[in-house]
Every structure is written in structure tokens, then in C-alpha cells.
């Protein structure tokens, strides 16, 4: 079972735990046009490892290998984030199955669900919680 962790709790873990790391599993298009979490204040960088590959949206067959290539080890506490929390949950489950025991899903993801007007980033999630982010 992968725990869902609120974005603000994720930020606190990233800031206080040297073994904590954030992995953004969205696509390169999302990173470019929507933005990415900015961890500069924590002294870390968000790892950008897609769970699915745009435009086919096929699963990234190298995902687990990419985690290791990024320097992640079983000692790391890895927080996975996507747009709304669905892809990141699947990615966290795959990481756990691949030998990473300390994995977490960032609840509501980077943009969260749409609000009443259909806009994301305002109702819940990293952006709605006013956590640091930047355009790539």
C-alpha cells in the first residue's frame, strides 16, 4: 500500500529529510507548458522521470532503470507527483515492486482536480497550496 501525502507535508519532508526526493512522473510536454515543482529552497532538484511517454502515452519501459540512473536507492524516501495523483500512484507502486520500499504519492498532484470553471491548479494540489514552482 502506498500512502498519499498532502503537498505541504511533502514539502516539509523534502525540506527536512536529506533522504527525501521528489520525482515528477508527468510528460515532458507537461513539464514545459504547465511547470514543475521548484525545490531550490530545499537544496534539491525535482527529478523528471516520465511514467508515460508522450505522445503515445505508453508506459515508460525504462522507468525503474531511470530511477536507479538518477541515483535513487532503497534508502531514499521518494515522493511521486503527477497532474492529479493517479499516474504517480501507479509509478510509486511500480517503484515499490522494484525494490524501493519508502515511496509516497503526492495527493492531488501538481494541479489537482478541476474547479467549478474547469480550471486546474486552484482547487487542490501543489500549485493550489502555493508551493514553489516554475515554468521550465
Amino acid at each position: 500500500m502506498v500512502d498519499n501525502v498532502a503537498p505541504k507535508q511533502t514539502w516539509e519532508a523534502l525540506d527536512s529529510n536529506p533522504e527525501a526526493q521528489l520525482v515528477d512522473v508527468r510528460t515532458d510536454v507537461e513539464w514545459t507548458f504547465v511547470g514543475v515543482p521548484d525545490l531550490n529552497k530545499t537544496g534539491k532538484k525535482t527529478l523528471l522521470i516520465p511514467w508515460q511517454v508522450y505522445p503515445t502515452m505508453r508506459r515508460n519501459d525504462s522507468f525503474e532503470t531511470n530511477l536507479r540512473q538518477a541515483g535513487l536507492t532503497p534508502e531514499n524516501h521518494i515522493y511521486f507527483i503527477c497532474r492529479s495523483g493517479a499516474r504517480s500512484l501507479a509509478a510509486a507502486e511500480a517503484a515499490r515492486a522494484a525494490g524501493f520500499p519508502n515511496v509516497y504519492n503526492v495527493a492531488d498532484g501538481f494541479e489537482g482536480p478541476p474547479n467549478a470553471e474547469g480550471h486546474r491548479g486552484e482547487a487542490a494540489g501543489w500549485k493550489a497550496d502555493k508551493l514553489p514552482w516554475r515554468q521550465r
Side-chain angles (χ1 to χ4, degrees):
M1 183 85 158
V2 172
D3 290 334
N4 285 309
V5 179
K8 286 183 180 180
Q9 290 175 295
T10 300
W11 175 263
E12 291 167 8
L14 291 165
D15 193 37
S16 65
N17 181 351
E19 296 300 324
Q21 183 61 56
L22 183 67
V23 176
D24 190 328
V25 301
R26 295 174 298 149
T27 66
D28 56 343
V29 173
E30 290 170 292
W31 300 326
T32 299
F33 293 106
V34 180
V36 295
D38 183 351
L39 304 183
N40 284 335
K41 290 181 182 177
T42 69
K44 299 175 182 176
K45 293 193 182 294
T46 302
L47 297 177
L48 305 177
I49 303 173
W51 173 246
Q52 295 172 307
V53 181
Y54 183 84
T56 63
M57 300 309 281
R58 289 190 55 222
R59 184 195 187 287
N60 175 4
D61 293 332
S62 300
F63 182 74
E64 293 85 352
T65 300
N66 295 155
L67 293 174
R68 289 183 183 87
Q69 289 171 336
L72 296 172
T73 69
E75 288 74 36
N76 287 110
H77 288 251
I78 310 169
Y79 294 79
F80 292 90
I81 192 168
C82 67
R83 180 185 69 184
S84 61
R87 285 176 285 173
S88 53
L89 178 59
E93 290 170 344
R96 175 168 280 161
F100 296 93
N102 305 305
V103 296
Y104 311 90
N105 183 47
V106 179
D108 295 313
F110 187 66
E111 295 181 90
N115 65 11
E117 291 81 38
H119 300 172
R120 292 184 184 272
E122 298 174 6
W126 190 275
K127 288 174 95 173
D129 282 352
K130 308 288 188 234
L131 293 168
W133 66 279
R134 64 179 172 78
Q135 291 297 139
R136 188 165 167 232

